Amino acid sequence: MLDFDFYSPEEEIVLPLYEECGIRVFVKRDDLIHPYISGNKWRKLKHPLEHARKENKSLLVTFGGAWSNHLLATACAGAKFGFRTYGFVRGDVVENPVLKLCQLFGMELHFVSREYYRDKKALFYTHFANSKDAYFIDEGGYGLLAAQGCSEVINELNGRYDHCFCACGTGTTLAGLAIGINNRQWPTTLHGVPILKGGGFIRDELTKLGVVNQAQIRLHLDYHFGGYAKTKPELIEFIKAFTRQTSLLIEPIYTGKLFYTVHHLIAQKQIARGSTVLVLHSGGLTGLLGTLNRF
């Protein structure tokens, strides 16, 4: 087992809208797990890193865009747990604070064209087929072991909630939460907020990741604000107001869209009075570094 103690409490946030609608909203503060191995990034890395260690692998190879929280989390985790790290970065050679941090933690970066980046397995085998030390970790940590780590959120909760919300990129976190809820046989409605346009593909990903029963899952496909890393003025204004009112820092890529969705559904009376709601804060606050000019 990896030697890593972390702190992720449940914290209630009280806003006039929630009180008016008779709804209690709690946040699972996975953003407090670690400054860089943050939120669902730790959840998704935990079991792959344990597996890599059991397999006597010493080099973690993974993938991401130029502002990838996953690349940064993997780089930091490698430094913490004694792995070398290598990151394939999608697109032209650039410099930014996130990639600089990756390098500070010891990650070797390799920029590749978007065309070559599409086939990640091919990239891995082209460069590391003869390496006995290399261990493949998919973009965003996607995979069955990652979903297993995310499922453990449910066992940490102090009680059962009527609704549980999370942001969705690859669908791994949502799959893990679904598995955890199904294992506990809770009647909780699980809500996924895809941050990509056309997020309906998440249903297929849930099946691939072992979610047999999707009856309790609702996908909210209209809160992507134009697609990945896209924003609109109303999202930015919401984030500014929410952060001022709650002291809870969120960003426009994932968690801003997530909390906007929760707020909007409550305002539209789509959550019943008397309900308890849990929102998973999945961390990734370094995403703010690439978006501060929008504020």
Side-chain angles (χ1 to χ4, degrees), residues 216-232:
Q216 292 173 243
I217 299 174
R218 290 182 59 193
L219 289 182
H220 301 279
L221 303 178
D222 298 325
Y223 295 92
H224 53 74
F225 290 91
Y228 181 74
K230 303 291 186 182
T231 63
K232 292 183 179 179

Side-chain angles (χ1 to χ4, degrees), residues 138-240:
D138 210 338
E139 182 177 22
Y142 172 87
L144 292 171
L145 288 175
Q148 179 185 343
C150 293
S151 74
E152 294 165 5
V153 170
I154 302 303
N155 290 331
E156 296 172 15
L157 300 179
N158 293 324
R160 192 176 72 192
Y161 292 87
D162 299 307
H163 299 270
C164 179
F165 283 81
C166 76
C168 304
T170 64
T172 305
T173 301
L174 186 67
L177 294 177
I179 291 167
I181 289 170
N182 286 337
N183 287 343
R184 298 295 292 271
Q185 296 185 326
W186 286 354
T188 302
T189 300
L190 179 59
H191 302 258
V193 182
I195 53 85
L196 299 164
K197 185 184 290 188
F201 73 90
I202 295 291
R203 290 281 183 191
D204 293 333
E205 296 303 320
L206 292 175
T207 300
K208 294 176 187 176
L209 291 167
V211 180
V212 177
N213 179 14
Q214 298 188 24
Q216 292 173 243
I217 299 174
R218 290 182 59 193
L219 289 182
H220 301 279
L221 303 178
D222 298 325
Y223 295 92
H224 53 74
F225 290 91
Y228 181 74
K230 303 291 186 182
T231 63
K232 292 183 179 179
E234 57 264 37
L235 175 62
I236 299 301
E237 290 306 312
F238 169 79
I239 292 171
K240 290 161 66 174

